[in-house]
Amino acid sequence: YLEFNTEYNVDRLFESTGSKLDRTNGYVPNKRSVFWADSLDYPLIKTPDAADIKYLQSIITLCKKTSTHLVLYSAPIFRYDKHFKNAEADSIIIELAMKNSVRYIDLKMDTAFNDPALFADITHLNRKGSDQFTLTMTGLLERPESLPP
């Protein structure tokens, strides 16, 4: 898990999350629900600023330097177009991926994830949604366009 404005030691990240993921088979349940999603007003997804872009670019550069195949992705968000849509943020990520020849998989509005029964809350998949996400990503990553150049 990576987020903007934070530098991570990737080895330590995997050490700290590894045992928890081992105990849960890679899935930590969330008890929330999306039934109330239409009644709430969510802020837009933050538009990446210069520091955010610099951090992402440094990750891309490090991956290229170490011959690590990098795939960027956006996870499904329930009704992203209604609650979170930020075209500027989307275009910045797409442009950065294209400029660096990095594959970007955008599942924020994927129609396979339109069912609220797949979400624990508006931004987190539940077990059923997580299983579907795994199958979807596996299928996408097996396609030739996801192979490194």
Side-chain angles (χ1 to χ4, degrees), residues 36-73:
W36 40 261
D38 285 337
S39 64
L40 296 177
D41 202 15
Y42 289 90
L44 289 176
I45 288 177
K46 177 183 177 287
T47 300
D49 60 23
D52 297 332
I53 295 166
K54 181 181 173 189
Y55 283 124
L56 186 53
Q57 184 63 59
S58 68
I59 291 169
I60 292 168
T61 301
L62 177 63
C63 288
K64 286 183 177 192
K65 186 189 296 188
T66 60
S67 299
T68 302
H69 180 206
L70 175 66
V71 176
L72 301 175
Y73 78 93

Side-chain angles (χ1 to χ4, degrees), residues 18 20 31 38 47 76 83 98 103 117:
K20 184 176 188 178
K31 305 261 189 275
D38 285 337
T47 300
H83 299 292
M98 288 175 62
R103 182 159 183 214

Side-chain angles (χ1 to χ4, degrees), residues 63-113:
C63 288
K64 286 183 177 192
K65 186 189 296 188
T66 60
S67 299
T68 302
H69 180 206
L70 175 66
V71 176
L72 301 175
Y73 78 93
S74 294
I77 296 176
F78 183 70
R79 307 218 31 210
Y80 172 77
D81 57 330
K82 177 175 172 111
H83 299 292
F84 286 99
K85 191 168 179 93
N86 184 335
E88 184 180 4
D90 293 344
S91 68
I92 289 170
I93 300 300
I94 292 166
E95 182 180 321
L96 193 59
M98 288 175 62
K99 179 179 105 178
N100 288 281
S101 301
V102 172
R103 182 159 183 214
Y104 173 56
I105 298 172
D106 187 358
L107 298 176
K108 290 187 305 290
M109 294 191 297
D110 190 291
T111 57
F113 297 93

